[in-house]
Amino acid sequence: MHVSRPRRSAIRARALLATSLVAALAVLASATAPTAHTAPTGETLASASFPVERGQHHQGKVRKVKVDPRLFGVHDRFLTSLSHRSTRSIRLWDAGTDWPAIQPTRTTWNWAPLDTVVRKAHRNGTSVTLVVGLSPSYAAARSTDAPDLGLYRAYLTAVMKRYRAQHWGYRGIAAYQVWNEANISTFWTGTNVQLARLTKAAYDVRNKVDRGAQIIAPAMVTRLKFEQKVISAFYATRVPSTHRPVWKYVDAISLNLYPTGTIPLAHGRTRTSTPEDSMVLLRTVRGLLAKRHVPSSIPIWNTEVNYGMGSGTPAAPIPQARQVAYVMRTYLLNAARGVKRVDWYAYDMGVMPGGGTLGNTLLTDPTERTAGRLTPAGVAFTRIQGWMRGTLIGTAVKPPCSTDRHGTYTCKITYAHGVGRVYWNPFRRATVRLPHSARTKVSEFGASSKARGGARLTVTYRPVLVKSKR
């Protein structure tokens, strides 16, 4: 999560001061998503992984998104997710695997936490990403300060040597992330230039020690204006030793796409945030990156996400059906927008000291963190993978998971033997006309029933899958 538990209140309180930004985001988020014939402001079709220049409309050209199974990632301190094959990737943060935990002193090492993850992940077919940070006491005055660059290199060298394929017979750690949430002082109090040096150092160590590993840019929080300004400034930074932009040294950009806990509406009303609001943040940051000339070809990873996050207070609970819908819509929307990894925070979300949970969408029972008993949303995490086990289809002017003029989403997915269409409307009841070859509909809870081709179907915030011959 983007603030550690002991320090959440301070950063949340400061976040509340950014009222003007929240209001601005709300205007974007509460608006109906753009129609299929309009590229969203600040996000060209190219930035959504559909390489078409603005103003060009190759309506007949098919755009395809084949989902990488590693899209489906989690955070999990207790590793109970690694007993489920549906956990295709895991990001290690808040997991007892930070730098001070693995190398307590300059000369002592505690490999047990990482070794345990690597063994369990390998048995489960799960890809591992390790976040490097915080600074140990021998490398910096504070854990959030920029560490001594030589010690950072030495630590990464030791870790990469241990978890490369030559040591285990298989790749132990697939990706290394330079830092966690480096645009808030909860985790980083260094400068952008120092962060750029760390990024280049990680890149150099990887090239020397384990060329098969990926280097992931420092994670960045995205929901408030001051956070977005730091993102823009970081990606404008050039590494002093080479004078090249920092993005030259990463294999993926990392964004933590938590929307604000609530979205202001007209007349003083509010609503809880939704997955669609998270996509507004993605669009905004893509616009900032484009202005800094960051190539849209660099993959984006959504390395933390959940909903209902407030200012250090528990999220307002939402019904199980809505939690199920949020999980399914999150993965559909991220895949359709070209995001390559979505790491849910957190598989083992616990109860806060005063009661309640930090996020409102829970994959496991928060009172049984170490048991990992799945909630309906946790089951939906597996179910949506089945729905998406095909190819998402769109065109240059109608990308996958596009909306109609009423804000109703349609995600078209081709399978080996037929076509699936997932429908939902985030904020209202609507109707869609089913294909004439429709034969089956599946609810968000997995219940199947017969569908009548050509009939009208009422849709709500709950995704429904309709299968047809074509």
Side-chain angles (χ1 to χ4, degrees):
M1 175 48 202
H2 71 270
V3 279
S4 60
R5 289 180 175 85
R7 289 174 283 180
R8 282 193 177 103
S9 296
I11 192 68
R12 298 296 188 196
R14 183 172 56 188
L16 286 176
L17 296 177
T19 305
S20 59
L21 169 74
V22 174
L25 287 177
V27 172
L28 288 170
S30 59
T32 301
T35 63
H37 297 281
T38 305
T41 302
E43 179 188 19
T44 66
L45 292 170
S47 73
S49 294
F50 303 111
V52 178
E53 295 296 327
R54 185 185 295 276
Q56 294 181 338
H57 299 293
H58 306 296
Q59 191 161 2
K61 190 170 184 179
V62 174
R63 304 293 170 181
K64 299 180 179 180
V65 175
K66 184 67 175 179
V67 178
D68 186 327
R70 292 172 296 180
L71 172 77
F72 301 94
V74 299
H75 296 76
D76 183 7
R77 172 70 177 88
F78 299 102
L79 307 183
T80 54
S81 65
L82 295 182
S83 62
H84 298 283
R85 295 292 290 179
S86 58
T87 303
R88 308 311 298 268
S89 58
I90 188 169
R91 179 178 183 257
L92 299 179
W93 186 249
D94 288 343
T97 55
D98 56 24
W99 182 2
I102 303 304
Q103 190 186 11
T105 73
R106 290 192 186 206
T107 58
T108 59
W109 297 83
N110 176 25
W111 295 113
L114 278 177
D115 285 357
T116 298
V117 174
V118 165
R119 291 190 183 99
K120 288 188 175 183
H122 176 68
R123 288 196 296 266
N124 200 52
T126 302
S127 179
V128 178
T129 297
L130 175 66
V131 184
V132 182
L134 302 158
S135 295
S137 58
Y138 54 84
R142 296 176 296 179
S143 63
T144 59
D145 288 346
D148 177 272
L149 200 57
L151 293 176
Y152 184 84
R153 287 195 190 98
Y155 173 72
L156 266 179
T157 298
V159 174
M160 287 189 185
K161 282 183 177 179
R162 185 174 184 87
Y163 296 105
R164 60 186 177 179
Q166 294 94 314
H167 184 86
W168 294 79
Y170 55 83
R171 180 165 302 287
I173 294 177
Y176 295 86
Q177 185 159 32
V178 176
W179 208 263
N180 182 64
E181 295 189 338
N183 59 338
I184 57 175
S185 59
T186 307
F187 293 111
W188 178 256
T189 48
T191 67
N192 280 331
V193 170
Q194 289 173 318
L195 191 61
R197 288 193 179 108
L198 287 189
T199 303
K200 174 65 160 54
Y203 174 88
D204 289 342
V205 172
R206 185 275 307 274
N207 288 350
K208 182 178 180 181
V209 177
D210 187 5
R211 295 190 67 87
Q214 290 183 287
I215 298 301
I216 312 304
M220 299 283 182
V221 193
T222 59
R223 66 186 188 169
L224 297 176
K225 187 68 172 179
F226 78 89
E227 297 162 349
Q228 294 172 8
K229 284 184 176 179
V230 177
I231 294 172
S232 179
F234 174 68
Y235 283 100
T237 302
R238 291 180 176 269
V239 177
S241 61
T242 64
H243 303 290
R244 303 181 77 194
V246 68
W247 53 259
K248 291 279 189 179
Y249 302 102
V250 302
D251 298 302
I253 291 167
S254 170
L255 305 175
N256 290 355
L257 292 173
Y258 298 103
T260 53
T262 58
I263 304 297
L265 301 175
H267 309 298
R269 296 179 297 117
T270 62
R271 62 167 173 80
T272 58
S273 54
T274 72
E276 291 73 25
D277 298 313
S278 183
M279 293 299 95
V280 171
L281 294 177
L282 175 64
R283 182 174 64 217
T284 299
V285 175
R286 272 185 162 143
L288 296 174
L289 295 175
K291 289 179 180 179
R292 295 304 188 183
H293 307 292
V294 179
S296 61
S297 58
I298 300 179
I300 288 179
W301 288 15
N302 181 359
T303 42
E304 291 186 27
V305 70
N306 206 311
Y307 303 98
M309 302 292 193
S311 56
T313 58
I318 59 175
Q320 288 186 342
R322 192 167 287 277
Q323 295 182 48
V324 168
Y326 281 13
V327 169
M328 302 181 92
R329 283 155 49 186
T330 294
Y331 284 96
L332 283 163
L333 287 168
N334 276 268
R337 301 299 183 265
V339 175
K340 302 303 182 184
R341 188 73 58 90
V342 180
D343 298 311
W344 199 271
Y345 193 94
Y347 191 87
D348 55 347
M349 181 81 74
V351 176
M352 297 178 72
T357 56
L358 190 63
N360 64 22
T361 303
L362 311 173
L363 303 187
T364 59
D365 186 337
T367 66
E368 299 180 5
R369 300 174 71 184
T370 59
R373 186 166 67 87
L374 292 175
T375 63
V379 175
F381 177 79
T382 300
R383 181 174 299 116
I384 193 59
Q385 294 183 43
W387 287 18
M388 295 171 67
R389 199 169 292 133
T391 301
L392 278 69
I393 298 294
T395 68
V397 296
K398 194 172 185 179
C401 297
S402 59
T403 56
D404 65 14
R405 61 191 180 91
H406 302 293
T408 301
Y409 284 80
T410 300
C411 299
K412 183 179 179 181
I413 308 169
T414 60
Y415 305 120
H417 303 288
V419 174
R421 291 174 176 84
V422 184
Y423 304 102
W424 77 89
N425 190 302
F427 305 117
R428 57 181 65 88
R429 294 174 69 87
T431 60
V432 295
R433 179 78 71 178
L434 299 185
H436 288 286
S437 60
R439 59 181 186 271
T440 307
K441 59 182 178 181
V442 185
S443 76
E444 79 276 23
F445 288 104
S448 296
S449 59
K450 187 176 180 180
R452 184 166 59 88
R456 288 190 174 275
L457 175 69
T458 299
V459 297
T460 64
Y461 69 87
R462 303 181 179 196
V464 57
L465 170 65
V466 176
K467 296 180 179 179
S468 60
K469 292 180 181 180
R470 59 182 184 274

